[in-house]
Every structure is written in C-alpha cells, then in structure tokens.
Amino acid sequence: MQLLSMILTATVTPAAAAPLPAPVAAMLDAVRSDPDQLQKMAEVAKRTYPASTAEIDEIVAAMRADDAAARTRKLASQRAFEGWSGTGELGAFTSSGNTRNSGMALAGRLVKQGVNWKHGARSAVDYQRENGRTSKERYFAGYEGNYSVSARGYGLLTSSYERDRFSGFDHRFAQSVGVGYKLIERPTLKMALEGGPALRQTRFTNGLDDVGFAFRSAANLRWDATPKLAFTQNASVYHDTFNTSLQSLAATTAKLNGALSARASFQLNTESNPPAGRRTADTTSRLTLVYSF
C-alpha cells in the first residue's frame, strides 16, 4: 500500500512523465516475484504516467522473460533428488459402505516440477484394528508424470496400486497413458481434464483375476479462495466392458501456522459391478493435520 501511495501522490504531471522515473521502475522491480502484485503495480503506474505506458509494458515484459529464463535454468540444473516438495498427513477417518468404522488415516504427497516434466506421487492408508482383528485396511499408492507440449496441453502417464479387501479386491494395478488440457489456468483457480487408454489387473478376494483394457478420464480442480484457504477436487474414472470404477476426493485445507495446515476431506469410491455380497459405494471422511515441506 505504501508503494501505491507513493505513485498516486507523485507530483510529476503525465505530460512530463516520459521517460519513466527511476523510483517507479524500482517499485516494479520490488514486486516482480509476485505476478499479481506486479500486474497491479504496472496498471497504477500506467494510469499515473500514461505517456510512459509503452515503457512500462516493456519493463514488465523484460522482467517476466528474465524470471522465466532464470527459472528454466534452475529447473534444468536440478539433480534427480533435488527440487522435490510435498506434504504429510496424519489424522482420523470415518467410513461407510462395505465397512462402518473409524480409525487412523495417513497420507503423503511428493511433487517435482522440471523444465518439461512434472512428477507427482501420492500414497494413503486407512487402518483400524479392534478386538484383535483388522476391521478396516485400505492402501493406495500412485504416480503421475506430465510432459508439457504447449502452454495448456500435456501428455501424461499414470500408475497406481490399491488394496482394499473389505471392498472385494485383494489388489489392483492400473497403468495409463493419455493427454491433458488445462481448461482454466488462473492464479487462484485451476482446472484440468485428462483422458486416455489404460490397462488394469485385479485380483478379487474370491480368488478370481481380471485383466483388461479400460478408458481413464479425470478432472482436477484447485480453488484458492483466500491465501490461507484452498479447495481441491480430484476425480478419476476407469471404464471397461466389465466394470466402471470412480474415485473422487474433495478436500478443504486451511493454513494454521507456517508449514502446518488442517484438512477436511471426503472420498467416494464406487464399483458398478462389485463382487457378490459387496456394496457399490464406499465413502471415507477424514480430518487430518498436514505438514508441508
């Protein structure tokens, strides 16, 4: 606000504002690391010094180009184990469907952005044991690699593993390739759609195996409602001639202090053709603390 006030209260008249005063250029440089603030500062500067509009646009474009080049050099110089960030979650869950109980929830996520590739890995565990026996046991691990082919388009490959005996399958592996498109790409709102062929291998709890091709579609949404509050929705569907599987995970995350956040999430898993005696839908609600690193 102080920087904006200095511009608005400047005594230089628009007619005498070319070339752009050095202090104003310095103010633009001071906020170059924040794209939103840089845009706002540039707009105020152009209203205050309309005769310097072209120069202001050139300065902002040069800053963005320099920053993009520096970011590319940094990403290109990273080694295999450098540049990773992520989160860890610990909390409790309650479930309904094939099991009705509550227990401990664990989850983790790793992300690395490269020059063209973006790597992401995710894992989750819901577990409960009571009266000497396991009453809830679900494991999930997945990887997704995105290769940028344009400003909004990307190719992708995914691989995942699931185990949930209470839903009727001992284990399930899935691999897919496909394409994705960033339908919305704004600082506070992002949405992407994905689709492509997949191969799934399932071992059911009754001992039967199923291996077949499927079509995978997915939608990913993130909305930063405020700097401290975010909503995410990730959904994927596998469809084949035998079964259609849906996994949908919605979460609201609120920053508490530093690297610590609180998260409330709701997950829906459905199988259109589950094993005999199993329900078609399972839900899991979680309350967790999230540590970012």
Side-chain angles (χ1 to χ4, degrees), residues 87-91 105-108 263 265 286 288-291:
T87 59
E89 291 184 58
L90 174 62
L106 298 170
R263 176 171 294 163
S265 65
R286 302 181 183 92
T288 57
L289 289 176
V290 184
Y291 179 77

Side-chain angles (χ1 to χ4, degrees), residues 18-282:
L20 189 70
V24 179
M27 293 175 190
L28 293 171
D29 187 66
V31 297
R32 65 186 297 169
S33 61
D34 187 328
D36 289 340
Q37 288 299 318
L38 178 60
Q39 183 64 34
K40 292 177 182 178
M41 184 68 74
E43 290 173 358
V44 173
K46 285 189 284 188
R47 288 198 300 268
T48 309
Y49 301 97
S52 301
T53 295
E55 184 180 357
I56 293 169
D57 287 338
E58 290 177 1
I59 290 174
V60 172
M63 288 180 178
R64 289 174 174 166
D66 289 345
D67 290 347
R71 180 173 180 270
T72 299
R73 289 193 298 270
K74 180 180 179 180
L75 294 177
S77 67
Q78 290 179 349
R79 299 180 179 179
F81 296 101
E82 296 178 334
W84 291 91
S85 61
T87 59
E89 291 184 58
L90 174 62
F93 77 86
T94 180
S95 65
S96 65
N98 286 291
T99 59
R100 285 183 173 273
N101 49 27
S102 23
M104 180 176 66
L106 298 170
R109 182 176 177 82
L110 291 173
V111 177
K112 177 178 179 176
Q113 179 67 62
V115 177
N116 294 309
W117 278 99
K118 180 180 180 180
H119 305 278
R122 184 169 67 89
S123 62
V125 176
D126 297 318
Y127 185 84
Q128 184 193 38
R129 189 173 179 84
E130 59 182 355
N131 298 325
R133 67 182 184 88
T134 301
S135 56
K136 174 69 175 179
E137 184 181 25
R138 181 180 185 275
Y139 303 96
F140 174 86
Y143 164 81
E144 181 171 317
N146 295 347
Y147 185 84
S148 178
V149 295
S150 67
R152 297 203 174 198
Y154 57 92
L156 65 91
L157 57 90
T158 71
S159 180
S160 65
Y161 163 83
E162 291 180 86
R163 175 181 171 88
D164 191 346
R165 294 181 58 84
F166 293 93
S167 293
F169 56 91
D170 186 73
H171 61 254
R172 173 182 284 161
F173 294 93
Q175 307 84 35
S176 73
V177 295
V179 295
Y181 184 77
K182 300 174 184 177
L183 192 64
I184 303 174
E185 186 70 7
R186 301 173 185 168
T188 60
L189 182 63
K190 303 179 187 298
M191 182 178 182
L193 301 178
E194 300 173 353
L199 176 66
R200 295 208 295 176
Q201 309 93 48
T202 305
R203 164 65 65 87
F204 296 98
T205 53
N206 59 11
L208 297 178
D209 292 322
D210 179 67
V211 178
F213 288 98
F215 183 83
R216 175 186 179 272
S217 58
N220 303 301
L221 172 72
R222 179 183 177 91
W223 174 40
D224 292 312
T226 71
K228 292 189 176 183
L229 184 66
F231 173 78
T232 56
Q233 171 73 63
N234 305 101
S236 61
V237 176
Y238 288 87
H239 175 74
D240 59 35
T241 57
F242 174 74
N243 186 40
T244 298
S245 303
L246 163 71
Q247 182 180 108
S248 174
L249 177 62
T252 300
T253 305
K255 285 188 176 182
L256 299 177
N257 186 15
L260 194 63
S261 302
R263 176 171 294 163
S265 65
F266 177 80
Q267 181 170 329
L268 171 66
N269 289 64
T270 67
E271 304 286 338
S272 65
N273 189 21
R278 307 289 182 173
R279 299 189 178 187
T280 59
D282 286 288

